[in-house]
């Protein structure tokens, strides 16, 4: 068990810069999820930590030791791959034992460790099988087992669930969480799936274009997204954005959609008329007879427990509202919605950064 | 009708007559293919006079055992007498040597070219590739000169080593190595396997099918070598059987001990034909894939 | 062309390459270089001195009626071997590809001749066609033909062609069968629905689809006939009678080993190298095209 520190890690492939200096400190036993759209550099970051890729700049420190220049095998890490990467010609047992065998552990100890991990993952009956005789979920477990038996300082997960079907994914997600908790191994987990990120991570790193946009707990990120990208990336359906300008005194915003919202948490600094972007999540625009927000309905998605309504506001900006399942507006209708003032997020219209009081 | 269902599901239902015709033609082809072997096999069981008269028996004679024992222990050409057991052994050594040698050096060089990055990688690759264009027959005289200078004429080394470098096997392995997923290499790196360990524990076991297929092809290639052994062996103890038969025939004198030559031919055919028939699946795979 | 993930290692890759490179250098490049050098030298009758003569050996070669004879023999021989073995191989593959009972058995019974060395194939056919002991020789003579390939050059050429083509039929059969089995059945079914007869379907659909295979086999068979058939000729006719079956490769052997005319033999080797390189280049162009399709 150990801490992980990533200090100013940069990576370029030729002239293309894919990581612009990432800093991250992971506490002992903590599970950090790196989340972001494809191409944001999250996998590269993970591979640099693993030692499979060499950083162009910066340092990687595991358990207090600078491992930036070390080979993967000398970093005391274990990794679970997206496509499992099991050795096709070895049995499940041999797959799990291989790393230990190379490290020269005594036979008995290898047997004990593999058995223990297999029990933990409920794959003990499969130990003699070959990977091709296993289902996707079983292969995933074996891949996890291979990581667990090593008892490493650090677990690395590279989108381990993305090859599984939806139901299995939810199940394995819970299992990974439980295992990580009980083993208490520091973990770095990469995914593009925000639900996975929210449920698994003690803290998240939201990445975009080779930059860590925000590093915080899932709820912090949900409640106080650092910028428009994070606000739009976390949450489904995503947060709505409406353009507006700062009112004199910074106490609220005048929206292009034709009404004003006040800032309950305090005034923002800046000259009146400054361009702003106001963010409001779909669940925070409840229907209200006298609501100022007039939504012309385009598309209705009844989900049973709730109804998603997509439409346009008078400024021709699109907006999605999450309404009670009992409501079924028709396309073309105009709905009156309120805005819960306590749930308003304020971003700079220029930089997209969050503006706090 | 139901019983025919599986056999007659061609594009268009074929008439019974058509089917018989196809069987007839194929049987004829098989018969023509087998004919020379049959005549040879029968001839090898008769005595010298029966065969030499040109009677061409079509049924086995009484001298089978005697003839085979004679060629196996003493040999039987008119002016060339090397026991078949010596020639067979030499042929086996040569064929196995070429097979093992080619596979070994090709596996290693393909591994280097695929799994490493080093200065001159492409130059080496092309050096190997270019040898595709230089079959041994083309450079036979100068290669012979090299062998004499190295004092390797009349030796197993001289028979085998010049024939084990070839691009085909290297290219086949290279092609296969390129299909090994990157993640497998990465998993092995994290498990702590270095390049040679990965080669031994992962690459070799995964290559067994390809190795087997190639081994069949190369064994036949090695067994059937002719010009090279003809050139560099002049002593009976290094004689191989394919060249040996040609020497037994000599200038085709009618007075030759044909029955013994036939027996020797049958023995010379057995190993490669057995390999092809018994390992048909590997053989076809190896053939079709090495030539791609 | 290249893996993303590789191992680090400075010396190791060179060590791995060393055996193959060493053998290639000693037994491929050195001799090839020697051949090119020697082809421009001429030795005195006692082999004591050699003088540089430039391209004279080549000029002499192409002025030598014997060499030109070997050239035309090679063309006739290779052309016939390639044509017959491809035609018969294709015919048999088409038959065996039909869905009939025992197709696999036929397959096994048709591919084994591939295992037989050209020299052994020659021996087998010799037993059938030998003027004194051969069954076929007798039958042919029964029809009033004076069969004796030891005297008649045309007959000798026919016999070496049969012996050389026979085993190659199996090779072509294997490739054509693989090619036929790769043709999607739906294409043939569509043609059948369009009302094309079986023969017509073959010539208008199957044969064009097999053309890459056919072209590939043409090159391979030509290379085979150029070089690998040495054993068949050596065992059957030794280039005779009166050089009627002397091919280019056989002449290299005779001039270099029997007559010890090293300069000429080396020049002939160089000509052969050029021929192989040309054939290989043709094949690569075709492979390249195949990749683009």
């Amino acid at each position: 068990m150990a801490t992980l520190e990533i200090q100013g890690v940069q990576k370029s492939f030729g002239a293309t810069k894919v990581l612009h200096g990432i800093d991250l400190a992971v506490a002992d036993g903590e599970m950090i999820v790196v989340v972001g759209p494809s191409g944001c550099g999250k996998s590269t970051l993970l591979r640099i930590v693993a030692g499979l890729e060499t950083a162009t700049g910066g340092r990687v420190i595991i358990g207090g030791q600078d491992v930036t220049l070390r080979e993967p095998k000398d970093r005391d890490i274990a990794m679970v791959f997206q496509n499992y990467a099991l050795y096709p010609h070895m049995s499940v047992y041999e797959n799990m034992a291989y790393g230990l065998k190379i490290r020269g552990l005594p036979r008995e100890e290898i047997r004990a460790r593999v058995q223990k991990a297999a029990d933990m993952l409920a794959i003990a009956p499969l130990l003699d099988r070959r990977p091709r005789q296993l289902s996707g979920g079983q292969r995933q477990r074996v891949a996890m087992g291979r990581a667990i038996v090593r008892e490493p300082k650090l677990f690395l997960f590279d989108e381990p669930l993305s090859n599984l079907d939806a139901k299995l994914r939810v199940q394995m997600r819970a299992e990974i969480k439980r295992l990580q908790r009980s083993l208490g191994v520091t973990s770095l987990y990469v995914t593009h799936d925000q639900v996975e990120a929210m449920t698994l991570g003690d803290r998240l790193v939201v990445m975009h274009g080779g930059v860590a946009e925000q590093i915080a707990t899932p709820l912090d990120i949900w409640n106080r997204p650092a910028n428009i990208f994070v606000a739009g990336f976390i949450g489904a359906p995503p947060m709505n954005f409406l353009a507006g300008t700062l009112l004199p005194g910074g106490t609220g915003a005048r929206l292009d959609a034709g009404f004003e919202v006040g800032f309950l948490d305090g005034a923002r600094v800046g000259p009146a008329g400054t361009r702003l972007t106001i963010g409001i999540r779909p669940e925070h625009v409840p229907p209200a007879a006298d609501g100022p927000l007039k939504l012309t309905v385009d598309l209705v998605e009844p989900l049973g427990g709730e109804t998603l309504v997509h439409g346009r506001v008078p400024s021709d900006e699109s907006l999605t509202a999450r309404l009670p399942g009992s409501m079924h507006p028709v396309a073309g209708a105009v709905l009156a919605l309120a805005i819960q003032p306590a749930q308003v997020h304020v971003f700079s219209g220029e930089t997209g950064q969050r503006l706090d009081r | 009708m139901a019983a025919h269902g599986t056999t007659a599901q061609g594009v268009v239902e074929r008439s019974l007559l058509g089917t018989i015709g196809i069987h007839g033609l194929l049987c004829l082809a098989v018969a023509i293919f087998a004919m020379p072997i049959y005549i040879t096999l029968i001839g090898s069981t008769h005595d010298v006079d029966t065969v030499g008269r040109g009677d061409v028996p079509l049924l086995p004679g009484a001298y089978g055992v005697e003839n085979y024992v004679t060629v196996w222990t003493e040999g039987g050409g008119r002016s060339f007498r090397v026991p078949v057991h010596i020639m067979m052994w030499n042929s086996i050594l040569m064929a196995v040597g070429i097979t093992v040698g080619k596979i070994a050096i090709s596996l290693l060089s393909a591994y280097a070219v695929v799994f490493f990055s080093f200065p001159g990688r492409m130059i080496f690759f092309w050096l190997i590739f270019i040898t595709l264009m230089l079959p041994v027959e083309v450079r036979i005289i100068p290669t012979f000169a090299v062998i004499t200078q190295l004092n390797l004429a009349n030796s197993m080394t001289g028979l085998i080593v010049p024939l084990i470098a070839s691009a085909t096997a290297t290219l086949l392995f290279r092609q296969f190595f390129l299909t090994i997923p990157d993640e497998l290499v990465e998993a092995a790196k994290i498990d702590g396997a270095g390049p040679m360990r990965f080669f031994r524990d992962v690459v070799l076991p995964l290559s067994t099918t390809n190795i087997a297929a190639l081994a069949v092809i190369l064994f036949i290639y090695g067994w059937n070598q002719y010009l090279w052994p003809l050139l560099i062996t002049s002593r009976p103890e290094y004689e191989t059987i394919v060249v040996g038969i040609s020497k037994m025939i000599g200038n085709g004198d009618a007075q030759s001990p044909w029955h013994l030559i036939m027996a020797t031919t049958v023995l010379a055919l057995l190993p490669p034909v057995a390999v092809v028939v018994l390992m048909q699946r590997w053989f076809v795979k190896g053939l079709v894939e090495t030539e791609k | 062309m290249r893996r993303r993930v590789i191992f680090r290692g400075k010396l190791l890759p060179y060590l791995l390459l060393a055996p193959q490179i060493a053998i290639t250098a000693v037994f491929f490049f050195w001799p090839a270089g020697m051949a090119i050098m020697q082809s421009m030298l001429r030795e005195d009758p006692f082999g004591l001195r050699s003088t540089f003569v430039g391209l004279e050996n080549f000029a002499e070669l192409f002025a030598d009626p014997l060499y030109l004879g070997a050239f035309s023999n090679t063309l006739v021989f290779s052309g016939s071997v390639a044509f017959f073995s491809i035609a018969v191989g294709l015919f048999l593959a088409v038959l065996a590809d039909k869905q009939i009972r025992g197709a696999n058995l036929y397959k096994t019974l048709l591919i084994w001749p591939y295992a037989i060395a050209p020299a052994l194939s020659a021996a087998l056919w010799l037993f059938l066609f030998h003027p004194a002991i051969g069954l076929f020789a007798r039958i042919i003579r029964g029809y009033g033909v004076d069969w004796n390939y030891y005297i008649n050059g045309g007959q000798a050429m026919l016999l070496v062609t049969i012996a050389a083509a026979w085993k190659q039929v199996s090779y072509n059969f294997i490739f054509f069968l693989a090619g036929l089995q790769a043709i999607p059945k739906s294409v043939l079914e569509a043609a059948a629905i369009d009302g094309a007869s079986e023969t017509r379907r073959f010539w208008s659909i199957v044969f064009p689809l097999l053309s890459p295979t056919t072209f590939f086999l043409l090159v391979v068979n030509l290379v085979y006939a150029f070089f690998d058939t040495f054993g068949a000729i050596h065992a059957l006719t030794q280039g005779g009678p009166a050089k009627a079956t002397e091919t280019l490769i056989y002449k290299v052997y005779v001039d270099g080993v029997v007559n010890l005319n090293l300069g000429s033999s080396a020049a002939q080797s160089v000509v052969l190298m050029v021929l192989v390189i040309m054939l290989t280049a043709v094949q690569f162009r075709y492979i390249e095209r195949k990749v683009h399709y």
Side-chain angles (χ1 to χ4, degrees), chain C residues 25-231:
Chain C
V26 174
F27 298 110
F28 281 73
F29 294 118
W30 185 10
M34 269 173 68
I36 293 172
M37 216 175 68
Q38 221 157 38
S39 71
M40 291 186 260
L41 298 178
R42 180 162 306 156
E43 297 194 343
D44 65 26
F46 306 104
L48 297 174
R49 257 201 317 240
S50 47
T51 36
F52 181 79
V53 292
L55 297 178
E56 220 172 279
N57 284 328
F58 292 95
E60 243 170 53
L61 216 49
F62 284 101
D64 180 0
L66 287 178
Y67 189 69
L68 297 177
F71 225 111
S72 77
N73 283 343
T74 308
L75 290 183
V76 171
F77 172 70
S78 307
S80 328
V81 168
F83 177 78
F84 286 113
S85 59
I86 287 179
V88 177
L90 176 59
F91 180 69
L92 293 178
V94 168
L95 290 182
D97 184 46
K98 307 238 189 268
Q99 291 172 345
I100 50 166
R101 229 173 266 251
N104 272 321
L105 182 65
Y106 286 122
K107 234 177 279 171
T108 309
L109 292 174
L110 288 173
I111 66 173
W112 59 265
Y114 173 76
I116 296 174
L120 287 186
S121 164
L124 292 172
W125 290 96
L126 175 143
F127 300 146
L128 283 174
F129 281 101
H130 191 277
I133 65 158
L135 172 66
F136 286 3
R138 251 177 157 203
I139 297 172
I140 295 171
R141 234 185 268 116
Y143 285 102
V145 179
D146 184 16
W147 175 265
N148 188 345
Y149 65 86
Y150 283 107
I151 298 166
N152 186 319
Q155 290 175 1
M157 180 58 97
L158 182 66
L159 186 55
V160 289
T161 304
I162 292 175
W166 176 58
K167 66 157 285 188
Q168 206 59 11
V169 168
S170 296
Y171 182 87
N172 297 334
F173 170 79
I174 293 166
F175 276 85
F176 277 128
L177 197 60
L180 284 169
Q181 282 164 352
I183 295 177
K185 289 280 168 280
S186 56
V187 174
L188 297 176
E189 279 161 0
I193 290 166
D194 284 343
S197 71
E198 200 164 339
T199 320
R200 179 136 190 190
R201 282 205 301 275
F202 178 80
W203 287 113
S204 63
I205 296 166
V206 177
F207 191 69
L209 285 176
L210 282 180
S211 65
T213 311
T214 314
F215 180 79
F216 161 80
L217 288 176
L218 184 67
V219 175
V220 171
N221 282 283
L222 285 178
V223 171
Y224 160 81
F226 271 33
F227 305 112
D228 296 346
T229 49
F230 174 86

Side-chain angles (χ1 to χ4, degrees), chain A:
Chain A
M1 268 163 271
T3 57
L4 164 67
E5 274 177 81
I6 297 171
Q7 298 178 344
V9 164
Q10 302 186 9
K11 177 72 183 176
S12 307
F13 291 109
T16 336
K17 201 153 192 186
V18 293
L19 289 180
H20 297 266
I22 305 286
D23 291 288
L24 174 68
V26 185
D28 188 6
E30 193 181 17
M31 178 134 184
I32 295 282
V33 177
V34 184
V35 64
S38 58
C40 70
K42 56 186 190 300
S43 283
T44 309
L45 179 65
L46 187 81
R47 292 165 55 79
I48 287 173
V49 174
L52 296 171
E53 209 92 66
T54 319
T56 325
R59 300 201 297 161
V60 176
I61 296 162
I62 298 174
Q65 289 180 309
D66 188 336
V67 298
T68 316
L69 297 175
R70 286 197 200 164
E71 291 284 321
K73 65 182 165 66
D74 303 323
R75 296 186 176 207
D76 203 2
I77 51 161
M79 184 158 166
V80 179
F81 293 86
Q82 175 171 1
N83 63 4
Y84 322 131
L86 301 176
Y87 308 115
H89 59 293
M90 296 185 193
S91 69
V92 168
Y93 180 87
E94 290 165 331
N95 261 285
M96 288 167 69
Y98 187 57
L100 303 179
K101 217 171 101 190
I102 290 179
R103 282 175 169 73
L105 261 67
R107 252 167 185 285
E108 277 319 301
E109 166 140 27
I110 295 178
R111 180 157 293 282
R113 282 209 205 175
V114 172
Q115 194 59 49
K116 194 174 137 205
D119 288 339
M120 212 185 292
L121 290 159
I123 50 173
L126 307 177
L127 284 177
D128 292 329
R129 301 239 188 120
R130 292 284 164 94
R132 78 177 112 75
Q133 299 168 296
L134 303 179
S135 70
Q138 289 170 331
R139 284 179 210 187
Q140 183 57 62
R141 281 164 197 272
V142 176
M144 301 256 306
R146 181 167 65 181
I148 290 173
V149 293
R150 292 268 316 282
E151 299 177 3
K153 283 185 188 151
L154 183 64
F155 275 149
L156 301 173
F157 297 89
D158 188 7
E159 309 220 16
L161 302 182
S162 52
N163 281 5
L164 299 178
D165 63 51
K167 199 176 157 195
L168 209 51
R169 196 151 50 202
V170 174
Q171 196 185 324
M172 284 304 292
R173 196 166 74 200
E175 198 152 338
I176 289 179
K177 176 113 179 164
R178 186 177 54 76
L179 271 170
Q180 198 270 334
R181 281 285 128 79
S182 66
L183 296 170
V185 178
T186 316
S187 303
L188 198 60
Y189 187 111
V190 161
T191 181
H192 64 271
D193 181 335
Q194 47 140 328
V195 181
E196 221 168 279
M198 294 292 281
T199 50
L200 281 175
D202 293 324
R203 282 191 296 152
L204 310 188
V205 179
V206 182
M207 282 189 63
H208 178 51
V211 172
E213 300 279 2
Q214 188 170 9
I215 303 175
T217 64
L219 286 184
D220 257 0
I221 284 183
W222 173 266
N223 291 327
R224 300 174 47 78
N227 53 42
I228 289 187
F229 174 79
V230 176
F233 188 76
I234 300 291
M239 185 184 279
N240 299 298
F241 296 109
L242 299 171
T245 50
L246 192 62
L247 290 174
T251 54
R254 166 93 204 149
L255 296 183
D256 298 357
F259 60 99
E260 292 179 3
V261 288
F263 301 151
L264 289 191
D265 54 347
R268 268 49 175 189
V269 181
T274 307
R275 294 299 297 171
L276 297 176
T277 300
I278 300 301
I280 184 83
R281 296 198 184 273
E283 43 274 62
H284 299 142
V285 284
D290 58 347
L293 188 54
K294 305 288 187 253
L295 182 71
T296 310
V297 177
D298 285 336
L299 176 69
V300 180
E301 294 178 307
L303 300 178
E306 60 193 29
T307 302
L308 295 183
V309 177
H310 307 276
R312 307 207 148 259
V313 294
S315 54
D316 208 30
E317 290 160 303
S318 55
L319 185 135
T320 301
R322 184 178 250 167
L323 304 180
S326 56
M327 291 190 62
H328 300 287
V330 295
V334 178
L335 288 179
L337 303 173
I339 284 190
Q340 293 179 353
Q343 306 293 348
V344 163
H345 303 264
V346 186
F347 303 99
S348 156
E350 216 173 304
T351 64
Q353 292 302 310
R354 182 178 192 85
L355 292 179
D356 280 328
R357 118 189 95 87

Side-chain angles (χ1 to χ4, degrees), chain A residues 86-91 94-95 97-104 130 146, chain B residues 111 115 176-177 180 184-185 187-189 191-208, chain C residues 7:
Chain A
L86 301 176
Y87 308 115
H89 59 293
M90 296 185 193
S91 69
E94 290 165 331
N95 261 285
Y98 187 57
L100 303 179
K101 217 171 101 190
I102 290 179
R103 282 175 169 73
R130 292 284 164 94
R146 181 167 65 181
Chain B
Y111 189 67
F115 283 94
F176 171 67
F177 290 169
I180 293 178
L184 222 51
V185 187
K189 281 184 174 186
D191 271 340
M196 288 324 286
R197 184 106 202 202
F198 182 69
F199 179 73
R200 198 191 74 191
D201 290 348
V202 180
V203 171
L204 270 189
L206 288 180
S207 307
T208 42
Chain C
F7 285 102

Side-chain angles (χ1 to χ4, degrees), chain B residues 44-66:
Chain B
S44 70
T45 60
H46 287 270
D47 63 348
V48 62
D49 293 335
T50 316
V51 181
R53 267 200 309 273
D55 278 353
V56 196
L58 293 175
L59 292 172
Y63 296 86
V65 176
E66 190 189 318

